[in-house]
Amino acid sequence: MKTVLLATAFLLVPVGMASAADVDSTSPVAATYNWSGAYVGAQAGYAWGDARVGQTFAPGSFEDYGWGYSPSGGFGGLYIGYAKQFDGGLVLGVEGDYSFANVKDTTAYQALGVDDPAFGGVLELKAVGSVRLRAGYAMDRWLPFLTGGLAVANYKHTTVNLPSGDAYADVDDTIAGYTLGAGLEYAVTDNWLVRGEYRFADFGRHTSVRHSTFDGAPINKDAIELTTHDIRVGIAYKF
């Protein structure tokens, strides 16, 4: 009896292994994640940069008379976009974002490289945004990407009396330039995405009219040059 049972067991083992192989060969393989679709998200980050504000009426070059700034600070806002994944893993899309910012610096006025202890300024980026194209390569749920496009920033430059802190003229304007960046995104679930990103923006040189803080009357013109760097993280819902 033991011999019969043992022989039966040996006969059934190959059958069982063949059945298991059949199951494995017909079991569906988990589908690769698809990045196509619209999404909306929230982001926050830290920015720093270099800026030069010069009084265009002053004699000499732009660099000889004015304020040199190194603004820094945080920002946060929303972004929205659409992506399309193609065969082979290429992902192309368009995205826009807008953030409120508190990126600022205070410095003294310089004339021919010498600080004026009574004549200062405050530069603040109040909001930043962009409209960009994105290109990435899908690695299942990972998406490394490059991005670039139009950048905008709303800034305020205030001329102050440093000893008293009283403001007597300011500029409040929106300027445009370009931005380039790179990042990495990950699909935590089929709908929720997280990302980290670095961006550089160059706003070139723009001229705006300063106004009196007492009566709003135009005084003269200031020219601003601005470049920024930032790192940001975001979380989005893909529809």
Side-chain angles (χ1 to χ4, degrees):
M1 185 64 179
K2 290 182 179 181
T3 303
V4 172
L5 291 175
L6 187 60
T8 303
F10 276 110
L11 289 173
L12 290 178
V13 166
V15 175
M17 293 176 64
S19 299
D22 290 340
V23 171
D24 288 342
S25 64
T26 58
S27 296
V29 177
T32 301
Y33 184 77
N34 192 298
W35 288 88
S36 296
Y39 55 89
V40 60
Q43 63 183 2
Y46 181 82
W48 66 99
D50 292 295
R52 179 74 184 174
V53 177
Q55 294 180 284
T56 57
F57 72 89
S61 69
F62 175 79
E63 290 76 16
D64 289 339
Y65 296 86
W67 300 263
Y69 293 99
S70 298
S72 61
F75 63 90
L78 302 175
Y79 60 94
I80 185 170
Y82 179 82
K84 172 66 176 178
Q85 181 171 336
F86 298 88
D87 293 342
L90 176 65
V91 179
L92 299 178
V94 60
E95 185 175 290
D97 65 83
Y98 184 86
S99 294
F100 294 101
N102 184 25
V103 180
K104 62 192 304 183
D105 189 24
T106 301
T107 191
Y109 182 79
Q110 288 188 335
L112 298 174
V114 179
D115 289 348
D116 186 337
F119 194 31
V122 180
L123 177 66
E124 179 183 7
L125 301 185
K126 302 194 297 181
V128 292
S130 70
V131 178
R132 294 164 290 101
L133 298 177
R134 293 209 312 161
Y137 180 75
M139 303 169 62
D140 195 9
R141 291 185 175 272
W142 291 98
L143 180 69
F145 64 87
L146 300 174
T147 187
L150 173 71
V152 295
N154 176 245
Y155 81 96
K156 183 175 183 179
H157 182 249
T158 305
T159 307
V160 298
N161 183 295
L162 288 180
S164 66
D166 294 333
Y168 54 87
D170 61 26
V171 172
D172 196 330
D173 204 357
T174 298
I175 56 178
Y178 71 89
T179 183
L180 299 172
L184 182 64
E185 199 159 12
Y186 179 71
V188 180
T189 70
D190 287 349
N191 299 106
W192 288 103
L193 315 174
V194 295
R195 68 166 62 167
E197 188 175 358
Y198 162 80
R199 269 192 236 165
F200 166 79
D202 189 338
F203 296 92
R205 182 183 294 187
H206 299 266
T207 301
S208 303
V209 177
R210 288 201 302 162
H211 292 82
S212 167
T213 56
F214 302 105
D215 56 14
I219 300 176
N220 50 25
K221 293 182 178 181
D222 280 348
I224 182 172
E225 290 181 341
L226 173 67
T227 59
T228 63
H229 307 261
D230 72 66
I231 51 175
R232 60 185 72 198
V233 294
I235 181 170
Y237 184 85
K238 184 168 79 73
F239 299 95

